[in-house]
Amino acid sequence: MNRPQLYSKYSDLQKTDNTYVLEKFLDTSRFKDEDRILDVGCGDGNFSVECLIPKLPQNFKNFVACDVSEKMLDFARTKYFLPKIKFVALDIGAEEIPEEFENSFNHIYSFYTMHWVRRQRKAFKNIYKMLAPGGDILFTFLANSSLYDIYQNMSKHERWSQHSVKEYISPYHNLKHPEKRLEKLLQDIGFEVKVCKLVTRSFLFPSMEIFKNTITAVNPIVQKLHPDEVEEYNAGFLNEMKGMKSVIIENVNNNGEKTIREIHQIFILVATKPQNKKSDTSKLE
Ligand SMILES: C[S@@+](CC[C@H](N)C(=O)[O-])C[C@H]1O[C@@H](n2cnc3c(N)ncnc32)[C@H](O)[C@@H]1O
């Protein structure tokens, strides 16, 4: 993902789901004085700085917001300059994480990011490693979305078949009981899982234009196309969408435009690292 300007304007779906999760589950975080906090996949920084941080007790020591995309980080750094907040480049699925982050964070949050990560086991091992003993995590990310089915259907058309979509589909999409898979993965790593559930969410896009821009902000294929091809791709995308049960083109809005309701499933994940466990990193590799 590398379109921070577009994402910052067209991410109401993500923000609505994230806010729902924060309101219901932020009280699972056990705050103390001088907590160190990590946000994995901060993107344009908007949700971290304008929604998450104001809800935290303000006596935290520092807040590290990380992302794999330099473009996202540059955008966030330019927009938000705050003394206790640092934006850092980090691939959560990387082979190595910085040594100074090991056993370091009392709370790790992540919003709408983990579905982008192929190396789930490695990423959650890294998260476990970075968590201080007794620390907790609160994550939400996509499990199932009809948008993934549309990506897949589009790639079956000869016209677009050279653009592989496999690496952009949530690893949990269309699995039977994905929440059980995720819970088992975390338990194997050593987490104590408090909540691991799927929630069905729906979002109403107020116009086709907003829907298209929201998709374009995150669609990795559109980002690879020549500008001349985008319109044709989008037309095909909208055509595929019409067959989906969980994308409903609804009645008209006040301007006489169509509205689009999209239904998807998110994970809500709350887990802790046991108090007596420093990461025995050798066992994890
Ligand atoms: C949909 S945005 C979410 C941004 C923000 N958390 C929010 O909820 O609005 C997903 C972010 O995850 C980042 N991302 C994807 N893969 C990642 C990885 N392996 N490590 C760290 N960040 C990653 C992307 O660059 C992108 O900025």
Side-chain angles (χ1 to χ4, degrees):
M1 272 190 67
N2 56 9
R3 294 193 157 178
Q5 281 88 355
L6 201 61
Y7 185 76
S8 69
K9 275 199 205 148
Y10 296 101
S11 43
D12 283 356
L13 179 153
Q14 292 87 337
K15 200 179 278 177
T16 306
D17 283 355
N18 294 346
T19 303
Y20 164 84
V21 172
L22 260 195
E23 279 171 4
K24 289 215 173 303
F25 291 93
L26 186 61
D27 65 0
T28 59
S29 299
R30 291 166 297 183
F31 295 110
K32 303 182 272 46
D33 284 346
E34 302 273 291
D35 277 341
R36 292 160 182 265
I37 299 163
L38 175 70
D39 181 17
V40 176
C42 61
D44 62 339
N46 178 284
F47 188 77
S48 323
V49 175
E50 295 189 25
C51 303
L52 173 60
I53 291 178
K55 288 196 162 64
L56 302 175
Q58 295 303 300
N59 58 355
F60 62 85
K61 182 162 189 192
N62 61 17
F63 185 102
V64 176
C66 74
D67 203 283
V68 74
S69 159
E70 282 295 348
K71 273 201 181 163
M72 286 292 195
L73 289 167
D74 283 347
F75 182 91
R77 286 184 189 118
T78 314
K79 194 158 175 206
Y80 302 108
F81 188 77
L82 298 151
K84 290 199 285 186
I85 302 169
K86 214 161 111 184
F87 291 97
V88 171
L90 179 73
D91 174 358
I92 198 61
E95 213 41 60
E96 300 291 336
I97 45 154
E99 223 180 292
E100 75 264 25
F101 286 173
E102 284 187 28
N103 296 302
S104 173
F105 296 101
N106 306 97
H107 313 285
I108 303 184
Y109 298 99
S110 182
F111 297 92
Y112 257 83
T113 293
M114 290 302 289
H115 49 263
W116 288 98
V117 179
R118 309 313 328 143
R119 305 178 74 194
Q120 289 282 310
R121 182 171 293 274
K122 186 73 201 172
F124 279 110
K125 280 179 177 178
N126 285 341
I127 288 154
Y128 188 84
K129 245 190 215 181
M130 290 192 284
L131 206 53
D136 44 60
I137 69 170
L138 170 58
F139 279 32
T140 188
F141 57 103
L142 271 176
N144 288 301
S145 165
S146 44
L147 299 180
Y148 292 135
D149 294 322
I150 302 178
Y151 289 174
Q152 280 167 334
N153 290 351
M154 286 295 285
S155 72
K156 288 179 195 150
H157 292 278
E158 209 184 325
R159 175 77 177 89
W160 311 110
S161 59
Q162 77 272 31
H163 301 292
S164 159
V165 293
K166 236 181 25 219
E167 62 269 36
Y168 305 121
I169 310 277
S170 167
Y172 303 92
H173 180 64
N174 284 343
L175 291 188
K176 215 172 171 190
H177 302 304
E179 72 286 13
K180 290 192 181 151
R181 295 277 279 268
L182 180 62
E183 182 168 10
K184 168 104 178 40
L185 172 66
L186 267 91
Q187 284 168 340
D188 287 350
I189 291 170
F191 284 99
E192 280 175 9
V193 179
K194 309 288 181 192
V195 179
C196 182
K197 64 174 184 172
L198 278 183
V199 175
T200 301
R201 301 277 301 162
S202 95
F203 186 80
L204 186 68
F205 292 94
S207 72
M208 190 62 89
E209 200 52 32
I210 293 176
F211 176 75
K212 266 201 275 183
N213 283 329
T214 305
I215 303 300
T216 305
V218 295
N219 185 331
I221 305 304
V222 171
Q223 297 179 18
K224 286 183 186 169
L225 299 178
H226 187 275
D228 293 348
E229 297 177 308
V230 173
E231 203 172 315
E232 189 188 344
Y233 180 90
N234 279 340
F237 195 96
L238 295 179
N239 205 33
E240 285 293 338
M241 190 185 91
K242 286 183 194 146
M244 297 284 152
K245 273 203 220 120
S246 47
V247 187
I248 304 151
I249 302 177
E250 288 190 340
N251 50 350
V252 287
N253 65 15
N254 293 341
N255 302 324
E257 290 176 291
K258 287 191 168 74
T259 60
I260 292 115
R261 181 170 295 283
E262 194 269 336
I263 301 163
H264 53 272
Q265 284 189 312
I266 53 170
F267 286 116
I268 300 177
L269 176 61
V270 177
T272 59
K273 178 166 169 173
Q275 187 66 47
N276 54 350
K277 293 263 164 73
K278 271 216 156 197
S279 329
D280 45 351
T281 48
S282 55
K283 236 174 91 185
L284 292 176
E285 297 310 316

